[in-house]
Amino acid sequence: YGRRFFSRYKFRDGAAQDDVQDVKGQFLAKTFLSIIKHRTIEKTLERCEFIIVEATDLYDQNEPDEDQDTLESRLIIRLHCKHGIVKTHRLQLLVPTSLLSPGTSDPSTESHLTIGPRAIKDITEHFPNARGAKGNPQLVWTFGDTDVEVKSLESSIDTRGKAQLSTELTISADEFDVYDVYATPTIISFHLREFNVSIIAFAESMGLCLDLRFTDSVAPLFIDVESEESECLFVISTSQYGGSAAPPSSNSTQHNTHKRPSPSDDGKGSSR
């Protein structure tokens, strides 16, 4: 995130030094989300402050005593709620590990699609995400020359012994702002829950398009959500689908490209 993404941003008393390194740390996402997404916070929160207290300068901070008697770096979260209520949480900052995000096998055979958050949500809403540990349908996407087929891959009987409804959709490639598929048909399969709850919800809240990149059915799916002040990368693991074709060879010549005209091309823009 860039500085202008925040309403107020202060780094080490505003000292602009080229030799100063970034402050890095990591914490458990589950603990962090349990704080900022608590049901009582979402309705009353007015603003949120994040304060990073480094272990080397703990004694220089105007924090309560419990923050000064430790040599651990911490992330202090202050939630300013209605009626002047301030809630403070402290999370230990752990030593960051190396980013283990996988790379694409061959960028020259990479397919690239761009679609708006509302359009992709209209597609996934046809596949209900039932509650429970097993309520996570797997979707099979078949990317063809002019359309995309999406179907649910579920067992015929659920945990309660009832038959499940299998859904299949066919979407025109025109629904995508960019539709650049290296070789058709390309089939990928992944589960819906995290894609729906995390990625689509984030893109919709930010009003940003999703850039999807993939190579074949066994390679990860990369999703970029970017703006002028933020860059976010999501990686989803895919699973082998029984009817999926083998990965395209490096000397394949089939290449299908479709791109929606930009507003500068026709003088008109569309909101998706």
Side-chain angles (χ1 to χ4, degrees):
Y1 294 92
R3 297 176 64 100
R4 291 185 297 176
F5 178 84
F6 303 92
S7 57
R8 181 173 178 267
Y9 186 93
K10 185 178 181 181
F11 178 71
R12 288 179 174 169
D13 297 327
Q17 302 178 12
D18 296 335
D19 57 343
V20 175
Q21 297 181 351
D22 296 337
V23 179
K24 297 181 180 180
Q26 70 179 29
F27 47 81
L28 296 178
K30 184 176 182 179
T31 305
F32 179 74
L33 293 177
S34 67
I35 297 173
I36 63 174
K37 297 192 68 174
H38 194 276
R39 61 180 182 275
T40 60
I41 295 298
E42 292 182 343
K43 297 180 180 180
T44 62
L45 183 65
E46 294 181 341
R47 64 188 176 91
C48 179
E49 291 183 358
F50 297 102
I51 303 173
I52 298 178
V53 181
E54 297 181 79
T56 55
D57 53 15
L58 279 171
Y59 295 93
D60 297 332
Q61 304 292 327
N62 294 321
E63 297 297 331
D65 294 339
E66 58 264 29
D67 291 323
Q68 298 182 358
D69 59 1
T70 177
L71 297 178
E72 298 175 342
S73 297
R74 290 184 176 182
L75 171 65
I76 301 176
I77 305 173
R78 286 205 182 104
L79 306 174
H80 296 260
C81 305
K82 295 179 180 179
H83 311 296
I85 298 176
V86 179
K87 299 182 180 181
T88 303
H89 302 268
R90 298 170 180 85
L91 299 180
Q92 179 184 355
L93 281 181
L94 306 175
V95 178
T97 57
S98 58
L99 182 62
L100 300 179
S101 175
T104 55
S105 56
D106 186 357
S108 64
T109 62
E110 190 176 68
S111 297
H112 179 209
L113 291 79
T114 301
I115 189 170
R118 182 68 254 181
I120 191 67
K121 187 175 182 179
D122 289 342
I123 297 174
T124 58
E125 280 182 343
H126 290 278
F127 304 90
N129 196 357
R131 295 183 178 180
K134 296 184 178 181
N136 190 12
Q138 185 175 357
L139 300 187
V140 180
W141 301 68
T142 304
F143 298 94
D145 291 327
T146 59
D147 52 37
V148 179
E149 295 181 359
V150 186
K151 66 179 180 180
S152 57
L153 180 63
E154 304 179 47
S155 59
S156 57
I157 303 297
D158 63 12
T159 55
R160 298 182 180 180
K162 297 181 180 180
Q164 294 198 32
L165 177 64
S166 180
T167 306
E168 183 171 350
L169 298 177
T170 300
I171 307 103
S172 172
D174 293 334
E175 291 294 325
F176 295 82
D177 298 320
V178 175
Y179 189 80
D180 184 2
V181 180
Y182 174 75
T184 58
T186 297
I187 303 176
I188 63 174
S189 175
F190 56 87
H191 289 278
L192 179 60
R193 177 183 295 172
E194 290 302 322
F195 183 71
N196 240 351
V197 176
S198 302
I199 303 174
I200 296 181
F202 172 77
E204 187 177 27
S205 66
M206 299 289 289
L208 301 173
C209 291
L210 293 85
D211 293 324
L212 293 81
R213 297 179 287 114
F214 54 88
T215 51
D216 54 67
S217 59
V218 296
L221 169 64
F222 295 84
I223 304 175
D224 297 292
V225 181
E226 299 182 357
S227 68
E228 293 182 357
E229 292 300 322
S230 65
E231 296 180 2
C232 299
L233 170 63
F234 302 90
V235 182
I236 295 182
S237 61
T238 59
S239 56
Q240 181 78 42
Y241 177 59
S244 60
S249 59
S250 58
N251 58 356
S252 174
T253 58
Q254 187 176 6
H255 193 74
N256 182 49
T257 302
H258 161 80
K259 184 175 181 180
R260 185 190 300 274
S262 62
S264 60
D265 295 335
D266 55 10
K268 299 179 181 179
S270 60
S271 177
R272 301 189 58 78

